[in-house]
Structure formats: structure tokens, C-alpha cells
Amino acid sequence: MGTASFDHHFGISARVSEISRNLSPKLDFSSVKFPSRVEYCGLYLSPSSAVCSTSKEWRGQPNAVDESGEVGTPILDTIESPKHLKNLSSKELKQLAVEMRSELSTVMSKSKKAFKASLAVVELTVAIHYVFRSPVDKILWDVEEHTYPHKLITGRRSLVKMHRQTTDLSDSTRRSVSIYDPIGAGHGCNSISAGLGMAVARDIKGQRDRVVAVISNETTMAGQVYEAMGNAGYLDSNMIVILNDSRNSLHPKLEEAPETPINPLSTTLSKIQSSIFFRRFRELAKVLTKRIGRGMHEWAAKVDEYARGLLGPPGSTLFEELGLYYIGPVDGHNIEDLICVLKEVSSLDSSGPVLVHVITREDQVVEVERDQTPEVSNPLQEGIVDRRTLTDFFVEALVSEAERDDTVVAVHAGMGMEASLELFKNSFPDRFFDVGMAEQHAVTFSAGLSCGGLKPFCIIPSTFLQRAYDQVVHDVDRQKIPVRFVISSAGLVGSNGPTHCGAFDITFMSCLPNMVVMAPSDEVELVHMVATAAQIDDRPVCFRYPRGAVSRISNALRYGVPIELGKGRVLVEGKDIALLGYGSMVQNCLRAQSLLSKLGVEVTVADARFCKPLDIKLVRELCKNHSFLITIEEGSIGGFGSHVAQFLSLDGQLDAGIKWRPITLPDAYIERASPQVQLAQAGLSGNHIAATALSLLGRTLDALLLMC
């Protein structure tokens, strides 16, 4: 145990006693002096540490390239954990940020994954880990795309550098993968709620660690963020929320809003707001005005709110109303300013929740030389002339419907928007609504549009639709309101892994009494289903399709033809065994049929099209003409196969002797890998389907040979 003394820049002399890692330094104030002139540039954090300053940010020097062609990172090479940042000087911290950004830019140039969001928070990440004592202090990230700089300095640099060979980088979705990740960062908007829970648990257990939650512009569109803020303000637990504002505005219409200014005045005001003296003085003023009574406290609160609203950016008083003490804006690329503010914020106990508004930019990519190594050809991609996606075909079909019917509108929700949707947005700007990460609102908003006489297509990725399920049930299906749900990114999603995997939508949509549930097997069927959904006006309907490029481009249709509800189709006729595919898995059924035909097995391949209403006539015919039936879907247990099993049981088909086997996604989360590897792990590849058929036919050896 040691002691140290210091003089605060407001004239507060104190002695610091370091007791343990679980207890914050205890302040013994011996005297308080109020200087006539205040200066804000002399707060020394530690020997050889960063110094609080408003000087122009030093950007560092370009790194040398070694003999292997890799950019040199001498400081980053020494960082194996956050504790190694503590002894770096201000200049070294800035150079570290330069090296981290260079490394991430290099990885980005050699992979298909976007790192711009992470590049925007490099300095913020360095400052957070410099000030706080992770993993003792809990640091939570709201969006997974922001966590890569965090991984670089928390012992997982190798995962980042391996990203161009493998896609299993964002491993924080599995709890306890790293001691530096107290909870996984997934869809966003969970960090404040989880952080508040950790803060309350800390208070109950009598501990003194810090809790820091980093949120972003995108997540401020989600209602859970404000629910958590309101509860944090009510509980008044000590925690720090950092708003990473990479769009330079809190205005809902970003293109119309002025940029939040960062200048010496705003920086100085942020430092004043974060200082111990100012916050103690503010708390003292609250106590005094309450004692005076006669409305003095309410009047003073209004003056304080007006003054802070006048000096702060638009929307800043919202956080104050929710009970969070607002500080900002702060330049998110000035390490010295960040450290100065965060150090002050972390130094005061029992201050309640605090929000630090940090302005960052995502245009921080460092130009690097492209890897000249020739790419290895992928036989699975050979022969693909057009790399268009199913979303491209969907949007074109929707534009065609909108041209013929001026009541067709589109509502999009989720994290980010696919570029393909720009076609509809540009064609019909008044009939396109992107609500961001506000899926619950998107569903009920679509219900309102439908009640107003329009035909809304509510476009939400499968994994994000999960957050709006209550609205789907009560605001749409229970009332039979004709909302057309377009479920994109359905099934396995490759490098985005379990956080964005659309495994459950078939199950949770098909159990709703009034919902029409369908899935196209290819781009032509997708166009037809857009037309089908547009014609349904007495109940809700949904259809799903996977992400990725279309490997076999058919003659695309401009206008679809409505499909008869509950009507499937037979694509290939055989006599030995029947494969009943749903959605994109029909293509793998055709691949399995091709393999089996070479082994002398005659296979029927049918496209179910509909999970609900199920084509019971087609299922009866398959059972009548075959002894074996296999259902295949890229969804969880309880989906299409369960509906088929329910019918087979009630219709007596199982009693009649049909042997049925379902192939679904396994009852587990499938981690990041290439789409082909994921399908193989799930047992949904053409080879796996063919092997299942051979096993049913008693040809076990052939099945094993097929899998070798």
C-alpha cells in the first residue's frame, strides 16, 4: 500500500491511498481553493503519461515496411494486454493508434469484411484501455464491428491477422471466450442493459470496479437503449456510457442536420463538465436549492437544462431527461482529450450514470499496397457469370410491382441496408422508409400503413426480426393485417456466424395461425412470390431468402406471376425415394439427385414452396408413390419438417408405412466459416442429403464412400 499527493488544477489538494485493486483510490481533501483564473491544460495523469491538452492532434509517422512486405508495428508488437499501455507516453499512444489503424486497414484490404466502423474507434479504444483497468473494470461494446481494435490489444491480435485465411474473428459472441469480454457483442443495443446489471451487482457486492458501455449511432435507434438509460437514471448506479457518434449528429435526419462542432471552446467545456470540481459544485448547488425551497430547485434545474442545451449539440438534453449526466462533444481522434475527460469521469465515486459524447469519423482507412499474391480459384464459383444476389432480383421485382401499383411501399429495418435497396429508394423516395435498428417500430408502422390502405413490404433480416416478434404476433397476425414480411439473410450467413444467422424464422413464423409462410427455391420463384405477396390482402404473408450471390442465373422475369396458395411442384420424378425441399435447399436436393442417379437411384425432387398452408395433396402423392420421404430445410428444428410430420401423423401416412426423415439445421449455433463449410457442418450439402438417402435405402457403405 502506498500514498501519493497531488494538486488538482482547480486548487484541490488531496492525498491518494491505494488500498487494493477492488477499491478505488480514497480521496482525503485537505483544502479547497478557488482560483481567480482557471487553466485546463495541466492535468498530469501519471509519470510519462498523456497530458491533457487542446493542441492539434499528432497523427504519427508512416510505418516502415519490412522485408516481408508487412508494415512495421514496433509499439503494437509489445502490447499483449491492456496493462502494457499504462507506461506509454502521449507520443507513443498516438503512434500505437497509427499502427493499429494501419494493421486493420491491411486486413481490410485483404478480406471482404468491412472494418470502417472499427477504424473510427481506434483512438477511443486506446484511451479507454489506458484509463480503465480491464478486465477488473468492465468494458462492453454495443456493436461487434467496433470490437476489432479492442481485440488487437487484448491478446487476440493473431485472430485479426488470420482473418484473411479464416473468418472466425468475432469470437466474442460466445461468452467467456476472453476475460476482456464480460458479455458478447451481437446485434447491438445490449451494452447499457448488461452494463447496468453488472453495476447493480457490483454495488450489492460492495465492489468498486468501473463499468463502461460503448454505444453507437445505429444502436440509438433501438428502444432498448432508452429503456436501459431510463432505468439507469432511476437506479442512479455509477456507470459510464460512451456514445460513439460517427455521423457527427444526433439529428434523426442526418443529411439535414448540421455537423456537431469540435473546437477549442467545445473541448474546454467538455473538460469543465467532466471535472470533479464542477460536478461536486453542481451537486452542492442542488442540495442548497432544495434546502432553500420555494421553487428554487425547480427554477435552478430549468436554468441548468437551458444553459446545457444551449451549449450542447441538438438532442443532448434528452440524455439529461433520462437521468444521465451529459458530457461532450469530445474529439474521438484526439487521444489526449479523450484520456483527460475519461480520467476525470472515472475519478468520482457515486456520480450516477454519465454519458460521454464522442465524435468520430469512419473515413480513417490507411492506404496500403494490395496483396499481389494470385488468388486461388474456387471451383464452386467457376462458371458464375453474374454475381448478382437474390436481393437484387427481389428489389427489381418490387420496383416492377410499385410501378404498376402506387400503393406498394417498402419499410426496411435492421443493422445497415443492402445497396440493392437503393434502386427502390431512388425510384420511389416517398414510398421507402428505412427506420434503422427499430424493428419493433417497423412492424407496427407497417401494420399502420396497411390499415391506411397501402401495401407495405416490411424488409427485415431474419435474425433482426426476432426482436420484433411480439409486434408480429399481436399487431399483425392476431388482427389478420396484410403486412408482407420479406425475410432476408435467412439461414446460414458464413462469416457473420451465429449473431446474424437466420435459423429460426421458419419455426416462429409458421406457428402463427394466420400467417402465410413461403420460400423461393431460386430467383425466378422469388419474383413470383413478390407478385403473390402483393395480391394477398386478407392476411399477413412472409417469404425468406438467403444472402449471397446467385450461382445459376436463369432468364430473369420483370413481372412475376402469382402462385396458387399452398401449391408446390415436382421438379424431377423418380420411384425409389422422394426429396421434399423447402426454399434454397431445393437446389441441394437437385445436387443430391444428380449424385444418386449415378449410383442407380431414381429420385423424385419436389419444391414445397409453402410451409403454410402446406400442399397436402403433393405430400400424399409423394407418400403414395414412394416408400421413403426426406424433408430438407435450412432452418431449425420445429419448422417445415415438423409441419410435414404433423400432417403425416394425423393423415395416417406413418401408419401406412412411409419412412420419413427430416434434415434441418442442428440444435446448436454454427460458428463462422465459409458457407460451404457451414452447410457441411450442418449436414445440408448435396453429399449429405444423398448419403442420408442411401442410408435409408440400406446402402450404408455407399453412403460412407460418398462422404469420404
Side-chain angles (χ1 to χ4, degrees):
M1 180 178 72
T3 61
S5 63
F6 67 89
D7 291 328
H8 193 275
H9 56 270
F10 279 102
I12 303 176
S13 299
R15 293 194 305 273
V16 180
S17 175
E18 182 76 20
I19 299 177
S20 70
R21 287 182 60 84
N22 293 327
L23 296 179
S24 62
K26 181 179 179 181
L27 299 181
D28 179 19
F29 292 95
S30 57
S31 65
V32 179
K33 298 180 292 183
F34 295 88
S36 58
R37 182 178 179 182
V38 178
E39 296 180 358
Y40 308 102
C41 58
L43 178 57
Y44 289 83
L45 305 179
S46 66
S48 71
S49 68
V51 180
C52 184
S53 172
T54 58
S55 61
K56 187 176 180 180
E57 174 74 353
W58 181 84
R59 296 296 180 185
Q61 299 296 325
N63 295 331
V65 179
D66 60 24
E67 296 179 356
S68 65
E70 296 290 334
V71 177
T73 54
I75 298 180
L76 181 58
D77 292 342
T78 67
I79 307 299
E80 297 180 359
S81 70
K83 66 181 181 181
H84 295 142
L85 273 67
K86 304 300 182 181
N87 295 324
L88 296 182
S89 66
S90 175
K91 183 177 180 179
E92 290 170 331
L93 289 172
K94 295 171 186 176
Q95 183 61 31
L96 173 63
V98 172
E99 295 177 11
M100 292 171 63
R101 181 169 285 111
S102 176
E103 180 142 324
L104 288 174
S105 296
T106 301
V107 175
M108 184 172 69
S109 70
K110 297 178 180 179
S111 68
K112 296 180 180 179
K113 197 171 186 67
F115 282 82
K116 285 187 176 181
S118 280
L119 294 174
V121 297
V122 169
E123 286 85 2
L124 177 59
T125 303
V126 171
I128 288 174
H129 281 292
Y130 182 86
V131 173
F132 298 97
R133 302 171 303 155
S134 178
V136 175
D137 293 333
K138 307 299 186 295
I139 300 173
L140 298 86
W141 299 86
D142 219 25
V143 180
E144 195 172 52
E145 284 74 12
H146 291 164
T147 62
Y148 301 133
H150 165 73
K151 295 177 188 298
L152 279 178
I153 55 179
T154 54
R156 288 168 287 179
R157 185 185 180 189
S158 60
L159 288 175
V160 179
K161 299 185 73 171
M162 288 169 55
H163 184 57
R164 62 177 181 252
Q165 283 83 31
T166 65
T167 52
D168 192 7
L169 171 61
S170 306
D171 57 350
S172 63
T173 54
R174 301 190 300 277
R175 190 178 175 210
S176 299
V177 165
S178 171
I179 59 175
Y180 299 102
D181 299 326
I183 194 169
H187 289 166
C189 79
N190 69 337
S191 64
I192 302 179
S193 298
L196 180 59
M198 295 175 190
V200 171
R202 171 204 62 200
D203 296 342
I204 292 175
K205 295 165 67 176
Q207 297 175 342
R208 304 293 291 275
D209 53 278
R210 308 294 183 185
V211 177
V212 181
V214 185
I215 65 174
S216 67
N217 290 95
E218 278 191 315
T219 55
T220 57
M221 300 294 291
Q224 184 181 351
V225 169
Y226 300 100
E227 294 171 4
M229 286 185 183
N231 194 216
Y234 173 76
L235 294 175
D236 202 36
S237 289
N238 190 20
M239 70 176 296
I240 300 165
V241 178
I242 299 176
L243 171 58
N244 168 38
D245 183 2
S246 58
R247 299 187 183 179
N248 297 336
S249 177
L250 298 177
H251 197 282
K253 292 187 177 180
L254 296 172
E255 65 276 8
E256 300 176 7
E259 289 191 356
T260 302
I262 294 292
N263 49 49
L265 176 60
S266 65
T267 300
T268 300
L269 290 173
S270 297
K271 292 175 181 177
I272 293 175
Q273 289 174 312
S274 64
S275 67
I276 296 176
F277 170 79
F278 182 81
R279 287 186 289 161
R280 287 198 181 279
F281 178 79
R282 191 168 180 261
E283 293 300 319
L284 178 61
K286 289 181 180 180
V287 174
L288 292 177
T289 53
K290 284 183 179 180
R291 289 184 178 179
I292 294 174
R294 292 177 293 181
M296 180 61 70
H297 176 70
E298 290 75 12
W299 180 84
K302 290 181 180 179
V303 172
D304 177 69
E305 179 182 350
Y306 177 77
R308 288 167 62 76
L310 186 65
L311 296 173
S316 60
T317 56
L318 169 63
F319 305 112
E320 294 276 346
E321 293 291 339
L322 291 170
L324 280 75
Y325 179 72
Y326 175 86
I327 298 172
V330 182
D331 186 353
H333 299 294
N334 189 312
I335 291 182
E336 292 173 337
D337 288 349
L338 287 168
I339 290 177
C340 183
V341 171
L342 293 178
K343 195 75 173 181
E344 290 278 13
V345 168
S346 67
S347 63
L348 184 63
D349 292 329
S350 303
S351 62
V354 176
L355 184 134
V356 181
H357 183 191
V358 175
I359 305 296
T360 61
R361 300 185 306 276
E362 291 190 353
D363 57 343
Q364 300 293 304
V365 181
V366 177
E367 292 296 329
V368 295
E369 293 185 6
R370 294 281 180 177
D371 191 353
Q372 300 300 318
T373 304
E375 295 185 0
V376 179
S377 61
N378 184 348
L380 293 173
Q381 296 181 356
E382 292 179 358
I384 299 177
V385 178
D386 194 339
R387 296 298 296 171
R388 301 174 70 197
T389 67
L390 285 172
T391 300
D392 294 328
F393 290 96
F394 159 70
V395 174
E396 291 172 4
L398 189 61
V399 168
S400 299
E401 290 294 331
E403 290 173 345
R404 296 190 296 182
D405 186 347
D406 59 9
T407 64
V408 171
V409 296
V411 179
H412 176 267
M415 185 182 294
M417 185 181 76
E418 291 189 66
S420 304
L421 291 169
E422 292 289 341
L423 175 62
F424 190 97
K425 179 181 179 181
N426 295 333
S427 301
F428 308 99
D430 296 333
R431 292 154 64 182
F432 181 83
F433 309 93
D434 182 19
V435 302
M437 293 179 63
E439 297 84 3
Q440 296 175 336
H441 163 67
V443 171
T444 307
F445 174 58
S446 298
L449 291 171
S450 181
C451 291
L454 300 180
K455 293 183 177 179
F457 281 74
C458 186
I459 309 162
I460 306 179
S462 174
T463 187
F464 292 102
L465 184 59
Q466 295 164 187
R467 298 204 292 210
Y469 191 59
D470 183 71
Q471 284 69 29
V472 173
V473 174
H474 291 289
D475 297 340
V476 177
D477 190 77
R478 189 173 60 82
Q479 303 179 58
K480 297 187 69 174
I481 296 177
V483 173
R484 298 145 189 89
F485 292 100
V486 182
I487 306 174
S488 60
S489 297
L492 301 171
V493 290
S495 62
N496 285 120
T499 56
H500 289 71
C501 178
F504 310 113
D505 60 271
I506 304 175
T507 299
F508 66 67
M509 295 299 274
S510 63
C511 68
L512 300 178
N514 298 315
M515 187 70 65
V516 174
V517 183
M518 54 186 180
S521 58
D522 56 29
E523 62 277 8
V524 174
E525 285 287 293
L526 175 58
V527 174
H528 291 325
M529 288 187 181
V530 171
T532 305
Q535 294 298 311
I536 298 175
D537 59 2
D538 61 344
R539 73 190 87 171
V541 58
C542 71
F543 57 91
R544 70 181 329 238
Y545 62 85
R547 69 164 57 176
V550 177
S551 59
R552 181 183 60 83
I553 302 296
S554 303
N555 294 326
L557 302 175
R558 179 170 174 79
Y559 299 105
V561 178
I563 302 171
E564 179 184 347
L565 290 186
K567 183 67 173 179
R569 58 176 183 159
V570 174
L571 301 178
V572 179
E573 291 192 14
K575 63 179 182 179
D576 295 325
I577 194 167
L579 304 179
L580 180 57
Y582 182 69
S584 60
M585 285 298 99
V586 172
Q587 301 303 321
N588 282 6
C589 290
L590 292 172
R591 294 185 180 96
Q593 183 269 335
S594 178
L595 292 171
L596 291 169
S597 65
K598 297 175 183 178
L599 297 175
V601 180
E602 298 185 24
V603 180
T604 294
V605 177
D607 178 4
R609 283 178 167 166
F610 293 87
C611 177
K612 190 175 184 178
L614 184 66
D615 189 346
I616 60 176
K617 182 179 179 180
L618 173 62
V619 175
R620 281 191 180 125
E621 289 180 354
L622 295 176
C623 293
K624 177 181 177 181
N625 298 326
H626 305 82
S627 299
F628 306 96
L629 173 65
I630 302 175
T631 57
I632 304 96
E633 62 188 301
E634 193 176 353
S636 65
I637 299 170
F640 171 69
S642 296
H643 283 264
V644 174
Q646 176 85 353
F647 170 74
L648 293 177
S649 178
L650 296 179
D651 198 51
Q653 297 295 332
L654 296 176
D655 299 332
I658 185 70
K659 294 180 177 61
W660 166 74
R661 294 291 185 275
I663 299 180
T664 67
L665 288 176
D667 192 21
Y669 294 102
I670 297 180
E671 298 302 329
R672 292 161 179 78
S674 68
Q676 293 77 18
V677 171
Q678 284 189 327
L679 282 174
Q681 291 175 348
L684 287 171
S685 68
N687 285 51
H688 284 84
I689 296 170
T692 300
L694 291 170
S695 296
L696 267 178
L697 294 170
R699 298 172 60 172
T700 306
L701 180 59
D702 288 335
L704 291 174
L705 291 174
L706 193 62
M707 297 307 301
C708 292

